[in-house]
Amino acid sequence: MKKIIAVISILAILIILFNITLIDFSDFFLEKNTVAIITIIAGFCCLILLRIVRVSNKIKNYNKEK
């Protein structure tokens, strides 16, 4: 499970970085910037969800040890 979470996290970070390069900061409210910004937000949501899964797995393992 740790390897899968790590791979998905790396892919989410790469998606975020790629879409940051697509944003045109001179005219921020263009339509093509909207797609890049939404994808960046989706990447951050993915990272947050993966962090929640990792913490819940740690709690589950901690409870099994007791």
Side-chain angles (χ1 to χ4, degrees):
M1 190 71 166
K2 286 183 180 181
K3 292 180 182 179
I4 294 171
I5 291 174
V7 169
I8 295 173
S9 296
I10 291 170
L11 289 174
I13 291 170
L14 289 174
I15 287 172
I16 291 168
L17 292 175
F18 174 72
N19 282 302
I20 287 174
T21 62
L22 294 179
I23 295 177
D24 183 18
F25 291 104
S26 63
D27 194 7
F28 192 70
F29 295 106
L30 287 176
E31 188 171 329
K32 76 173 192 175
N33 286 342
T34 307
V35 175
I37 292 170
I38 290 172
T39 311
I40 291 169
I41 293 170
F44 280 122
C45 290
C46 179
L47 290 175
I48 291 169
L49 289 173
L50 289 172
R51 182 67 185 156
I52 291 170
V53 168
R54 183 177 288 177
V55 169
S56 68
N57 282 338
K58 284 184 181 181
I59 292 170
K60 183 174 68 173
N61 292 337
Y62 179 74
N63 287 335
K64 282 184 180 180
E65 291 175 3
K66 280 189 166 186

